[in-house]
Amino acid sequence: MKNQTIIITGGAGFIGSHLVRLMVNKYPDYKIVNLDALTYAGNLENLRDIENKPNYVFERGDITDADFVSSIFKKYNPDGIIHLAAESHVDRSISNPMSFIQTNIVGTVTLLNAAKHHWADNFDGKLFYNVSTDEVYGTLGDTGLFTETTSYDPRSPYSASKASTDHLVRAYFHTYDMPIVISNCSNNYGPNQFPEKLIPLFINNIKHNKPLPIYGDGKYTRDWLWVEDHAVAIDLIYHKGKNGETYNIGGHNEWTNLDLIGLLIKEVDKQLGRPEGKSKELITYVKDRAGHDRRYAIDASKVQNDLGWVPSLQMEEGMALTVKWYLDNMDWMDSITSGTYQKYYENQYEKR
Ligand code: NAD
Ligand code: DAU
């Protein structure tokens, strides 16, 4: 593949920042354009270590702004788009669905239209990559795995909006022959995740001796993947994935929330020098999430067999690294958890 100019949307967020770092460091001859609106979830601190590299550029703007998106296409003439920008938190989608429709659906169509227009229907060497979620498949019972052919059955405004993006991207493939790939990944964990999501929220609360709010009975199951492994998979799929294909990505790493929190508490207590299990006393059962999906689990054999991707880290190792990162970077956490985050937290948890 020739040297690429790639627009990565959402590159200042959790997964996006790991992907931007990987690509900037791995491909010195590419140009990596990070297009991000810097919403509450975007943070340029995540990219301090690479911000001065000559092959990296940051453009602040909104993917729903057609004029802005068009100007970026004109300015950089990209070979590919890796699209991650999104509203990504299920709980926020329950209290404010419209922002998910706007960013996730309207934003994706705006990017697709800009790509179609700018590439002038000559798609040689071009690629639109939609980074999506396993939540589009709905929920599983005690057994079974999501495969690439599992029917879509999204059940939250977030997952419905992400399912729409997949449908729209496929529609541009079938209708206009635009080259596309899609990947659907399970729950990511690791450094730089916004502390509204389970793992960083709980690390922060344990550190400050605040209650650990477990939704419902805590027996919900997620399939956890180290975020850098997701970035490696995206890089591989961008370069080697087949046009029009979908790839499921997951860690073969299922945990119930209660077991995961047990592991997390053990690790945080150890690293804080507290007696083992001390912070279990912070566990508080709260009202369940509306429409809470019971279990997600991914069959990642296609990306493994076709492209040779396998996750690199076991959960115990990944959790130790994750906890260490947050405890070593409490200033990152503190700057995020002041101000508007505080209001979100009160609305989300005080009445539960
Ligand atoms: P995140 O919330 O941490 O980051 C989202 C980023 O998008 C932020 O930097 C934000 O500023 C930016 N953004 C939001 N609205 C924008 C807009 N209108 N214009 C431009 N930029 C905007 O999200 P994440 O957890 O890193 O997820 C990234 C992508 O991966 C999302 O599409 C999500 O659906 C998908 N995904 C996430 C997970 C996960 O476990 N976190 C798993 C599978 C798939
Ligand atoms: O599966 C992929 C998805 O994983 C991504 O598409 C989403 O962007 C990402 O946010 C994540 O969604 P989840 O809803 O699974 O993640 P979250 O961290 O919000 O919750 C994980 C589990 O923990 C879920 O069963 C709800 C539960 N939970 C969460 C919070 C925030 C609690 O019990 N208490 C909490 O306070």
Side-chain angles (χ1 to χ4, degrees):
M1 197 179 259
K2 77 172 182 64
N3 286 338
Q4 300 273 302
T5 296
I6 303 173
I7 296 177
I8 297 180
T9 71
F14 167 47
I15 300 167
S17 60
H18 288 276
L19 178 66
V20 166
R21 176 176 300 100
L22 182 155
M23 294 199 112
V24 165
N25 287 332
K26 185 169 173 187
Y27 303 109
D29 295 330
Y30 284 20
K31 175 163 267 187
I32 303 299
V33 182
N34 173 9
L35 189 169
D36 198 297
L38 300 182
T39 68
Y40 79 91
N43 188 345
L44 289 180
E45 285 298 322
N46 297 347
L47 291 165
R48 279 281 173 256
D49 55 321
I50 56 107
E51 69 184 1
N52 292 322
K53 299 255 178 170
N55 60 338
Y56 169 72
V57 48
F58 173 66
E59 292 280 357
R60 183 174 189 175
D62 191 324
I63 56 165
T64 66
D65 178 345
D67 291 341
F68 165 73
V69 171
S70 167
S71 74
I72 295 297
F73 269 80
K74 279 200 197 104
K75 185 166 170 188
Y76 294 103
N77 189 22
D79 302 289
I81 314 296
I82 308 182
H83 176 36
L84 294 94
E87 289 292 337
S88 69
H89 190 39
V90 173
D91 291 326
R92 287 185 194 253
S93 84
I94 295 166
S95 47
N96 181 15
M98 195 53 92
S99 61
F100 285 69
I101 305 310
Q102 188 61 21
T103 292
N104 297 359
I105 304 181
V106 176
T108 301
V109 183
T110 305
L111 288 167
L112 285 164
N113 279 345
K116 179 177 181 305
H117 178 77
H118 182 82
W119 290 335
D121 294 327
N122 177 0
F123 297 125
D124 263 6
K126 308 297 188 200
L127 184 64
F128 193 106
Y129 182 161
N130 196 41
V131 175
S132 191
T133 171
D134 61 356
E135 300 197 9
V136 300
Y137 299 123
T139 186
L140 291 164
D142 290 342
T143 58
L145 301 171
F146 296 134
T147 73
E148 288 80 2
T149 56
T150 301
S151 301
Y152 275 37
D153 184 23
R155 295 149 46 96
S156 74
Y158 163 68
S159 54
S161 70
K162 290 296 292 186
S164 305
T165 70
D166 292 354
H167 293 319
L168 286 159
V169 169
R170 282 195 193 97
Y172 276 62
F173 169 71
H174 290 293
T175 309
Y176 307 114
D177 291 328
M178 185 183 287
I180 64 110
V181 283
I182 295 172
S183 57
N184 298 85
C185 189
S186 61
N187 286 61
N188 287 214
Y189 73 100
N192 304 104
Q193 187 169 31
F194 194 85
E196 62 192 349
K197 310 280 167 59
L198 181 73
I199 290 178
L201 180 93
F202 275 39
I203 294 172
N204 194 37
N205 284 14
I206 296 171
K207 163 90 181 156
H208 295 291
N209 283 307
K210 285 173 66 177
L212 303 176
I214 295 187
Y215 296 166
D217 64 4
K219 293 182 184 153
Y220 294 85
T221 299
R222 299 290 183 265
D223 176 356
W224 292 92
L225 179 68
W226 175 242
V227 62
E228 290 179 7
D229 284 332
H230 189 190
V232 168
I234 294 172
D235 173 33
L236 200 57
I237 292 167
Y238 179 83
H239 288 95
K240 303 260 165 63
K242 260 177 70 185
N243 183 16
E245 294 284 317
T246 292
Y247 297 89
N248 280 357
I249 308 170
H252 303 293
N253 185 33
E254 288 184 51
W255 290 75
T256 64
N257 292 342
L258 284 177
D259 287 345
L260 181 86
I261 289 154
L263 177 71
L264 181 66
I265 287 173
K266 194 167 155 211
E267 192 55 46
V268 181
D269 280 349
K270 186 166 123 197
Q271 293 194 26
L272 287 175
R274 293 181 186 170
E276 184 173 331
K278 170 90 179 99
S279 302
K280 277 192 186 149
E281 65 194 32
L282 299 171
I283 288 178
T284 316
Y285 288 87
V286 299
K287 188 166 162 244
D288 210 348
R289 172 184 281 174
H292 199 168
D293 288 335
R294 194 65 172 166
R295 175 171 166 259
Y296 307 140
I298 282 276
D299 176 352
S301 52
K302 179 174 170 182
V303 68
Q304 196 168 324
N305 296 337
D306 292 5
L307 305 181
W309 176 85
V310 279
S312 70
L313 276 194
Q314 296 301 310
M315 189 61 165
E316 284 73 8
E317 194 186 346
M319 187 61 92
L321 288 173
T322 301
V323 169
K324 179 163 175 18
W325 188 87
Y326 287 98
L327 294 181
D328 286 350
N329 290 277
M330 283 314 285
D331 47 345
W332 180 94
M333 184 70 96
D334 291 344
S335 70
I336 286 178
T337 49
S338 54
T340 46
Y341 174 86
Q342 206 49 44
K343 276 204 192 70
Y344 165 79
Y345 197 88
E346 284 158 20
N347 286 339
Q348 180 64 21
Y349 293 104
E350 288 205 339
K351 287 177 235 97
R352 274 192 121 92

Short mmCIF file of all heavy atoms in Angstrom, two decimals, residues 9-17 35-43 61-64 83-89 102-104 107 130-134 158 162 183-189 192-194 196-197 224 230, ligand 1:
data_model
loop_
_atom_site.label_atom_id
_atom_site.label_comp_id
_atom_site.label_asym_id
_atom_site.label_seq_id
_atom_site.Cartn_x
_atom_site.Cartn_y
_atom_site.Cartn_z
N THR A 9 -11.33 10.00 12.75
CA THR A 9 -12.27 10.84 13.51
C THR A 9 -12.35 10.32 14.95
O THR A 9 -12.22 9.11 15.19
CB THR A 9 -13.69 10.82 12.89
OG1 THR A 9 -14.29 9.54 13.12
CG2 THR A 9 -13.66 11.13 11.40
N GLY A 10 -12.52 11.25 15.89
CA GLY A 10 -12.59 10.83 17.30
C GLY A 10 -11.23 10.44 17.86
O GLY A 10 -11.15 9.70 18.85
N GLY A 11 -10.17 10.96 17.28
CA GLY A 11 -8.81 10.57 17.69
C GLY A 11 -8.38 11.10 19.04
O GLY A 11 -7.33 10.69 19.55
N ALA A 12 -9.16 12.02 19.63
CA ALA A 12 -8.80 12.51 20.97
C ALA A 12 -9.54 11.74 22.07
O ALA A 12 -9.37 12.02 23.25
CB ALA A 12 -9.11 14.00 21.08
N GLY A 13 -10.36 10.77 21.68
CA GLY A 13 -11.09 9.98 22.67
C GLY A 13 -10.26 8.79 23.14
O GLY A 13 -9.06 8.69 22.89
N PHE A 14 -10.94 7.87 23.80
CA PHE A 14 -10.26 6.73 24.42
C PHE A 14 -9.59 5.83 23.37
O PHE A 14 -8.36 5.79 23.26
CB PHE A 14 -11.32 5.97 25.25
CG PHE A 14 -10.93 4.61 25.74
CD1 PHE A 14 -9.71 4.40 26.36
CD2 PHE A 14 -11.82 3.54 25.62
CE1 PHE A 14 -9.37 3.12 26.84
CE2 PHE A 14 -11.51 2.28 26.10
CZ PHE A 14 -10.28 2.07 26.70
N ILE A 15 -10.37 5.16 22.55
CA ILE A 15 -9.78 4.23 21.58
C ILE A 15 -9.03 5.01 20.49
O ILE A 15 -7.93 4.63 20.07
CB ILE A 15 -10.87 3.35 20.95
CG1 ILE A 15 -11.59 2.54 22.03
CG2 ILE A 15 -10.28 2.41 19.90
CD1 ILE A 15 -12.88 1.87 21.57
N GLY A 16 -9.64 6.12 20.05
CA GLY A 16 -9.04 6.92 18.98
C GLY A 16 -7.62 7.35 19.31
O GLY A 16 -6.73 7.32 18.45
N SER A 17 -7.37 7.74 20.57
CA SER A 17 -6.02 8.22 20.90
C SER A 17 -5.01 7.08 20.85
O SER A 17 -3.87 7.29 20.45
CB SER A 17 -6.02 8.92 22.27
OG SER A 17 -6.43 8.05 23.29
N LEU A 35 -9.30 14.24 13.44
CA LEU A 35 -10.45 15.17 13.37
C LEU A 35 -11.36 14.91 14.57
O LEU A 35 -11.96 13.84 14.67
CB LEU A 35 -11.20 14.92 12.05
CG LEU A 35 -12.30 15.88 11.62
CD1 LEU A 35 -12.70 15.58 10.19
CD2 LEU A 35 -13.52 15.80 12.51
N ASP A 36 -11.45 15.88 15.44
CA ASP A 36 -12.20 15.66 16.69
C ASP A 36 -12.81 16.98 17.16
O ASP A 36 -12.17 18.03 17.09
CB ASP A 36 -11.25 15.10 17.76
CG ASP A 36 -11.99 14.44 18.90
OD1 ASP A 36 -12.75 15.15 19.62
OD2 ASP A 36 -11.82 13.23 19.11
N ALA A 37 -14.03 16.91 17.66
CA ALA A 37 -14.72 18.11 18.13
C ALA A 37 -14.31 18.48 19.56
O ALA A 37 -14.68 19.54 20.05
CB ALA A 37 -16.23 17.89 18.08
N LEU A 38 -13.58 17.58 20.23
CA LEU A 38 -13.25 17.77 21.65
C LEU A 38 -14.52 18.01 22.48
O LEU A 38 -14.68 19.05 23.12
CB LEU A 38 -12.23 18.90 21.86
CG LEU A 38 -10.88 18.70 21.18
CD1 LEU A 38 -9.93 19.85 21.50
CD2 LEU A 38 -10.23 17.37 21.56
N THR A 39 -15.42 17.06 22.42
CA THR A 39 -16.58 17.08 23.33
C THR A 39 -16.05 16.76 24.73
O THR A 39 -14.84 16.60 24.93
CB THR A 39 -17.60 16.01 22.93
OG1 THR A 39 -17.02 14.71 23.18
CG2 THR A 39 -18.01 16.13 21.46
N TYR A 40 -16.96 16.57 25.67
CA TYR A 40 -16.54 16.23 27.04
C TYR A 40 -15.61 15.00 27.03
O TYR A 40 -14.77 14.85 27.92
CB TYR A 40 -17.78 15.95 27.91
CG TYR A 40 -18.35 14.56 27.68
CD1 TYR A 40 -17.94 13.48 28.44
CD2 TYR A 40 -19.26 14.32 26.64
CE1 TYR A 40 -18.42 12.21 28.20
CE2 TYR A 40 -19.74 13.05 26.39
CZ TYR A 40 -19.31 12.00 27.18
OH TYR A 40 -19.77 10.73 26.92
N ALA A 41 -15.75 14.12 26.01
CA ALA A 41 -15.00 12.86 26.00
C ALA A 41 -13.66 12.97 25.29
O ALA A 41 -12.85 12.05 25.37
CB ALA A 41 -15.84 11.76 25.33
N GLY A 42 -13.42 14.07 24.60
CA GLY A 42 -12.16 14.21 23.85
C GLY A 42 -11.15 14.99 24.66
O GLY A 42 -11.50 15.99 25.31
N ASN A 43 -9.90 14.56 24.63
CA ASN A 43 -8.90 15.18 25.49
C ASN A 43 -7.53 15.11 24.81
O ASN A 43 -6.97 14.02 24.64
CB ASN A 43 -8.88 14.40 26.82
CG ASN A 43 -8.02 15.07 27.87
OD1 ASN A 43 -7.22 15.95 27.56
ND2 ASN A 43 -8.19 14.64 29.11
N GLY A 61 -13.14 20.05 14.93
CA GLY A 61 -14.39 20.35 14.24
C GLY A 61 -15.38 19.22 14.43
O GLY A 61 -15.05 18.14 14.92
N ASP A 62 -16.60 19.51 13.99
CA ASP A 62 -17.73 18.63 14.26
C ASP A 62 -18.05 17.82 13.00
O ASP A 62 -18.23 18.41 11.92
CB ASP A 62 -18.93 19.52 14.66
CG ASP A 62 -20.08 18.72 15.21
OD1 ASP A 62 -20.32 17.60 14.72
OD2 ASP A 62 -20.75 19.24 16.12
N ILE A 63 -18.18 16.51 13.13
CA ILE A 63 -18.46 15.68 11.95
C ILE A 63 -19.86 15.92 11.37
O ILE A 63 -20.16 15.47 10.27
CB ILE A 63 -18.27 14.16 12.22
CG1 ILE A 63 -19.13 13.70 13.42
CG2 ILE A 63 -16.80 13.82 12.41
CD1 ILE A 63 -19.27 12.19 13.52
N THR A 64 -20.72 16.61 12.12
CA THR A 64 -22.05 16.91 11.56
C THR A 64 -22.04 18.22 10.75
O THR A 64 -23.06 18.58 10.15
CB THR A 64 -23.13 17.02 12.67
OG1 THR A 64 -22.84 18.16 13.47
CG2 THR A 64 -23.16 15.78 13.53
N HIS A 83 -13.29 5.90 11.06
CA HIS A 83 -14.32 6.70 11.73
C HIS A 83 -14.66 6.14 13.11
O HIS A 83 -15.30 5.09 13.23
CB HIS A 83 -15.56 6.71 10.83
CG HIS A 83 -16.74 7.42 11.41
ND1 HIS A 83 -16.63 8.54 12.21
CD2 HIS A 83 -18.08 7.15 11.32
CE1 HIS A 83 -17.84 8.93 12.58
NE2 HIS A 83 -18.73 8.10 12.07
N LEU A 84 -14.20 6.89 14.14
CA LEU A 84 -14.51 6.50 15.52
C LEU A 84 -15.35 7.54 16.26
O LEU A 84 -15.92 7.23 17.31
CB LEU A 84 -13.23 6.28 16.34
CG LEU A 84 -12.32 5.13 15.96
CD1 LEU A 84 -11.24 5.60 15.01
CD2 LEU A 84 -11.70 4.49 17.18
N ALA A 85 -15.39 8.78 15.76
CA ALA A 85 -16.08 9.84 16.51
C ALA A 85 -17.52 9.43 16.77
O ALA A 85 -18.24 9.03 15.86
CB ALA A 85 -16.04 11.15 15.73
N ALA A 86 -17.92 9.53 18.02
CA ALA A 86 -19.28 9.12 18.38
C ALA A 86 -19.61 9.59 19.78
O ALA A 86 -18.72 9.89 20.57
CB ALA A 86 -19.40 7.60 18.32
N GLU A 87 -20.89 9.64 20.06
CA GLU A 87 -21.35 9.59 21.44
C GLU A 87 -21.32 8.11 21.80
O GLU A 87 -21.92 7.29 21.10
CB GLU A 87 -22.77 10.15 21.56
CG GLU A 87 -22.86 11.66 21.37
CD GLU A 87 -22.20 12.44 22.52
OE1 GLU A 87 -22.07 11.89 23.62
OE2 GLU A 87 -21.80 13.59 22.29
N SER A 88 -20.63 7.77 22.91
CA SER A 88 -20.32 6.35 23.12
C SER A 88 -20.86 5.75 24.42
O SER A 88 -20.67 4.57 24.66
CB SER A 88 -18.79 6.16 23.08
OG SER A 88 -18.21 6.77 24.22
N HIS A 89 -21.53 6.55 25.26
CA HIS A 89 -21.91 6.00 26.56
C HIS A 89 -23.41 5.67 26.64
O HIS A 89 -24.26 6.55 26.50
CB HIS A 89 -21.53 6.98 27.67
CG HIS A 89 -21.68 6.40 29.05
ND1 HIS A 89 -21.33 5.10 29.35
CD2 HIS A 89 -22.12 6.93 30.21
CE1 HIS A 89 -21.56 4.86 30.63
NE2 HIS A 89 -22.05 5.95 31.17
N GLN A 102 -27.85 12.60 16.32
CA GLN A 102 -27.17 13.68 15.62
C GLN A 102 -25.71 13.30 15.32
O GLN A 102 -25.28 13.26 14.16
CB GLN A 102 -27.26 14.95 16.50
CG GLN A 102 -26.77 16.21 15.85
CD GLN A 102 -27.56 16.58 14.59
OE1 GLN A 102 -28.69 16.14 14.39
NE2 GLN A 102 -26.94 17.38 13.73
N THR A 103 -24.96 13.00 16.34
CA THR A 103 -23.52 12.72 16.12
C THR A 103 -23.32 11.41 15.37
O THR A 103 -22.59 11.35 14.38
CB THR A 103 -22.78 12.65 17.47
OG1 THR A 103 -22.77 13.95 18.03
CG2 THR A 103 -21.34 12.17 17.29
N ASN A 104 -23.97 10.36 15.84
CA ASN A 104 -23.63 9.04 15.30
C ASN A 104 -24.23 8.83 13.91
O ASN A 104 -23.54 8.35 13.00
CB ASN A 104 -24.07 7.94 16.27
CG ASN A 104 -23.34 8.05 17.61
OD1 ASN A 104 -22.49 8.93 17.80
ND2 ASN A 104 -23.66 7.18 18.55
N GLY A 107 -23.77 12.51 11.68
CA GLY A 107 -22.31 12.68 11.51
C GLY A 107 -21.74 11.67 10.53
O GLY A 107 -20.91 12.01 9.67
N ASN A 130 -15.63 1.97 9.19
CA ASN A 130 -16.51 2.31 10.31
C ASN A 130 -16.18 1.45 11.53
O ASN A 130 -16.28 0.22 11.48
CB ASN A 130 -17.98 2.09 9.92
CG ASN A 130 -18.94 2.77 10.88
OD1 ASN A 130 -18.68 3.90 11.31
ND2 ASN A 130 -20.02 2.11 11.24
N VAL A 131 -15.79 2.12 12.62
CA VAL A 131 -15.46 1.40 13.85
C VAL A 131 -16.73 1.30 14.68
O VAL A 131 -17.25 2.30 15.17
CB VAL A 131 -14.34 2.13 14.62
CG1 VAL A 131 -14.08 1.45 15.96
CG2 VAL A 131 -13.07 2.18 13.78
N SER A 132 -17.23 0.08 14.81
CA SER A 132 -18.53 -0.10 15.45
C SER A 132 -18.43 -1.04 16.65
O SER A 132 -17.33 -1.41 17.09
CB SER A 132 -19.54 -0.59 14.40
OG SER A 132 -20.84 -0.53 14.91
N THR A 133 -19.58 -1.41 17.16
CA THR A 133 -19.65 -2.09 18.45
C THR A 133 -20.40 -3.42 18.36
O THR A 133 -21.27 -3.59 17.49
CB THR A 133 -20.37 -1.17 19.47
OG1 THR A 133 -20.62 -1.90 20.66
CG2 THR A 133 -21.71 -0.67 18.93
N ASP A 134 -20.09 -4.32 19.29
CA ASP A 134 -20.84 -5.58 19.36
C ASP A 134 -22.28 -5.36 19.83
O ASP A 134 -23.13 -6.25 19.70
CB ASP A 134 -20.13 -6.60 20.26
CG ASP A 134 -19.96 -6.15 21.70
OD1 ASP A 134 -20.32 -5.00 22.04
OD2 ASP A 134 -19.46 -6.96 22.52
N TYR A 158 -28.07 4.21 22.04
CA TYR A 158 -26.67 4.16 21.57
C TYR A 158 -26.49 3.06 20.54
O TYR A 158 -26.00 3.30 19.42
CB TYR A 158 -25.72 3.94 22.76
CG TYR A 158 -24.34 3.47 22.33
CD1 TYR A 158 -23.49 4.33 21.62
CD2 TYR A 158 -23.89 2.18 22.59
CE1 TYR A 158 -22.22 3.91 21.20
CE2 TYR A 158 -22.64 1.75 22.17
CZ TYR A 158 -21.81 2.62 21.48
OH TYR A 158 -20.57 2.19 21.05
N LYS A 162 -25.57 3.21 16.51
CA LYS A 162 -24.38 2.58 15.92
C LYS A 162 -24.79 1.57 14.84
O LYS A 162 -24.13 1.45 13.80
CB LYS A 162 -23.53 1.89 16.99
CG LYS A 162 -22.83 2.82 17.95
CD LYS A 162 -21.79 3.72 17.29
CE LYS A 162 -20.58 2.98 16.79
NZ LYS A 162 -19.52 3.93 16.29
N SER A 183 -15.80 -2.90 11.59
CA SER A 183 -15.49 -3.86 12.65
C SER A 183 -16.40 -3.60 13.84
O SER A 183 -16.77 -2.45 14.13
CB SER A 183 -14.02 -3.80 13.05
OG SER A 183 -13.65 -2.51 13.47
N ASN A 184 -16.79 -4.69 14.50
CA ASN A 184 -17.67 -4.62 15.66
C ASN A 184 -16.93 -5.20 16.85
O ASN A 184 -16.66 -6.41 16.88
CB ASN A 184 -18.97 -5.39 15.40
CG ASN A 184 -19.75 -4.79 14.24
OD1 ASN A 184 -19.50 -5.10 13.08
ND2 ASN A 184 -20.66 -3.90 14.55
N CYS A 185 -16.61 -4.36 17.80
CA CYS A 185 -15.74 -4.78 18.90
C CYS A 185 -16.48 -4.83 20.23
O CYS A 185 -17.47 -4.14 20.44
CB CYS A 185 -14.55 -3.81 18.99
SG CYS A 185 -13.28 -4.35 20.14
N SER A 186 -15.94 -5.65 21.12
CA SER A 186 -16.48 -5.77 22.47
C SER A 186 -15.93 -4.66 23.37
O SER A 186 -15.25 -3.75 22.90
CB SER A 186 -16.11 -7.14 23.03
OG SER A 186 -14.69 -7.24 23.09
N ASN A 187 -16.20 -4.75 24.67
CA ASN A 187 -15.80 -3.70 25.63
C ASN A 187 -14.29 -3.55 25.72
O ASN A 187 -13.58 -4.52 26.01
CB ASN A 187 -16.30 -4.06 27.04
CG ASN A 187 -17.78 -3.87 27.18
OD1 ASN A 187 -18.56 -4.50 26.48
ND2 ASN A 187 -18.19 -2.99 28.08
N ASN A 188 -13.81 -2.34 25.54
CA ASN A 188 -12.38 -2.05 25.67
C ASN A 188 -12.07 -1.58 27.08
O ASN A 188 -12.91 -0.94 27.73
CB ASN A 188 -11.99 -0.92 24.73
CG ASN A 188 -11.93 -1.33 23.27
OD1 ASN A 188 -11.10 -0.83 22.52
ND2 ASN A 188 -12.79 -2.24 22.83
N TYR A 189 -10.84 -1.85 27.53
CA TYR A 189 -10.38 -1.27 28.79
C TYR A 189 -8.91 -0.90 28.65
O TYR A 189 -8.21 -1.41 27.78
CB TYR A 189 -10.60 -2.24 29.97
CG TYR A 189 -9.64 -3.41 29.97
CD1 TYR A 189 -8.52 -3.40 30.80
CD2 TYR A 189 -9.82 -4.49 29.12
CE1 TYR A 189 -7.62 -4.46 30.80
CE2 TYR A 189 -8.92 -5.54 29.10
CZ TYR A 189 -7.82 -5.52 29.95
OH TYR A 189 -6.92 -6.56 29.91
N ASN A 192 -6.74 6.06 29.69
CA ASN A 192 -7.40 7.17 28.97
C ASN A 192 -8.89 7.00 28.72
O ASN A 192 -9.46 7.71 27.89
CB ASN A 192 -6.73 7.47 27.61
CG ASN A 192 -5.25 7.75 27.72
OD1 ASN A 192 -4.43 6.91 27.39
ND2 ASN A 192 -4.91 8.93 28.19
N GLN A 193 -9.54 6.06 29.41
CA GLN A 193 -10.99 5.92 29.20
C GLN A 193 -11.72 6.92 30.10
O GLN A 193 -11.37 7.08 31.27
CB GLN A 193 -11.44 4.49 29.52
CG GLN A 193 -12.90 4.24 29.16
CD GLN A 193 -13.28 2.76 29.22
OE1 GLN A 193 -12.73 2.01 30.03
NE2 GLN A 193 -14.22 2.34 28.40
N PHE A 194 -12.73 7.54 29.57
CA PHE A 194 -13.44 8.56 30.33
C PHE A 194 -14.14 7.92 31.54
O PHE A 194 -14.81 6.89 31.38
CB PHE A 194 -14.47 9.27 29.43
CG PHE A 194 -15.00 10.53 30.06
CD1 PHE A 194 -14.30 11.72 29.92
CD2 PHE A 194 -16.16 10.52 30.80
CE1 PHE A 194 -14.76 12.89 30.52
CE2 PHE A 194 -16.63 11.68 31.41
CZ PHE A 194 -15.93 12.86 31.27
N GLU A 196 -16.75 7.77 33.08
CA GLU A 196 -18.19 7.47 33.17
C GLU A 196 -18.38 5.98 32.93
O GLU A 196 -19.42 5.42 33.27
CB GLU A 196 -18.95 8.25 32.08
CG GLU A 196 -18.51 7.84 30.67
CD GLU A 196 -19.00 8.74 29.56
OE1 GLU A 196 -19.87 9.59 29.80
OE2 GLU A 196 -18.50 8.59 28.42
N LYS A 197 -17.36 5.33 32.34
CA LYS A 197 -17.42 3.90 32.03
C LYS A 197 -16.96 3.11 33.27
O LYS A 197 -16.20 3.61 34.09
CB LYS A 197 -16.53 3.58 30.83
CG LYS A 197 -16.75 4.48 29.61
CD LYS A 197 -17.96 4.08 28.79
CE LYS A 197 -18.40 5.13 27.78
NZ LYS A 197 -17.45 5.51 26.78
N TRP A 224 -14.11 -8.47 27.61
CA TRP A 224 -13.21 -7.30 27.73
C TRP A 224 -11.96 -7.45 26.88
O TRP A 224 -11.35 -8.52 26.82
CB TRP A 224 -12.82 -7.08 29.19
CG TRP A 224 -14.00 -6.64 30.01
CD1 TRP A 224 -14.87 -7.45 30.71
CD2 TRP A 224 -14.48 -5.30 30.18
NE1 TRP A 224 -15.85 -6.68 31.31
CE2 TRP A 224 -15.63 -5.37 31.01
CE3 TRP A 224 -14.05 -4.05 29.73
CZ2 TRP A 224 -16.35 -4.23 31.39
CZ3 TRP A 224 -14.77 -2.91 30.11
CH2 TRP A 224 -15.91 -3.02 30.93
N HIS A 230 -7.21 -3.60 20.42
CA HIS A 230 -8.22 -3.12 19.46
C HIS A 230 -7.55 -2.25 18.40
O HIS A 230 -7.81 -2.40 17.20
CB HIS A 230 -9.31 -2.34 20.21
CG HIS A 230 -10.49 -1.98 19.37
ND1 HIS A 230 -11.48 -1.12 19.79
CD2 HIS A 230 -10.86 -2.32 18.10
CE1 HIS A 230 -12.39 -0.97 18.84
NE2 HIS A 230 -12.03 -1.69 17.80
P1 NAD B 1 -15.03 8.20 23.44
O1 NAD B 1 -16.36 8.68 23.92
O2 NAD B 1 -13.93 8.02 24.44
O3 NAD B 1 -14.48 9.20 22.32
C1 NAD B 1 -15.29 9.73 21.33
C2 NAD B 1 -14.51 10.83 20.63
O4 NAD B 1 -15.33 11.35 19.57
C3 NAD B 1 -14.15 12.01 21.54
O5 NAD B 1 -12.80 12.39 21.34
C4 NAD B 1 -15.10 13.11 21.09
O6 NAD B 1 -14.56 14.42 21.28
C5 NAD B 1 -15.29 12.77 19.63
N1 NAD B 1 -16.57 13.28 19.11
C6 NAD B 1 -17.80 13.13 19.65
N2 NAD B 1 -18.72 13.77 18.91
C7 NAD B 1 -18.06 14.33 17.87
C8 NAD B 1 -18.46 15.11 16.76
N3 NAD B 1 -19.75 15.46 16.57
N4 NAD B 1 -17.52 15.50 15.86
C9 NAD B 1 -16.22 15.17 16.04
N5 NAD B 1 -15.77 14.44 17.09
C10 NAD B 1 -16.69 14.03 18.00
O7 NAD B 1 -15.33 6.88 22.64
P2 NAD B 1 -14.51 5.50 22.58
O8 NAD B 1 -14.88 4.66 23.72
O9 NAD B 1 -13.09 5.80 22.31
O10 NAD B 1 -15.17 4.86 21.27
C11 NAD B 1 -14.71 5.21 19.98
C12 NAD B 1 -15.53 4.48 18.94
O11 NAD B 1 -15.41 3.08 19.12
C13 NAD B 1 -17.03 4.80 19.00
O12 NAD B 1 -17.51 4.88 17.69
C14 NAD B 1 -17.62 3.62 19.75
O13 NAD B 1 -18.94 3.40 19.34
C15 NAD B 1 -16.71 2.50 19.29
N6 NAD B 1 -16.55 1.38 20.24
C16 NAD B 1 -16.22 1.62 21.55
C17 NAD B 1 -16.01 0.55 22.41
C18 NAD B 1 -15.61 0.74 23.85
O14 NAD B 1 -15.54 -0.21 24.60
N7 NAD B 1 -15.30 1.96 24.29
C19 NAD B 1 -16.17 -0.76 21.94
C20 NAD B 1 -16.54 -0.97 20.59
C21 NAD B 1 -16.71 0.12 19.75
#
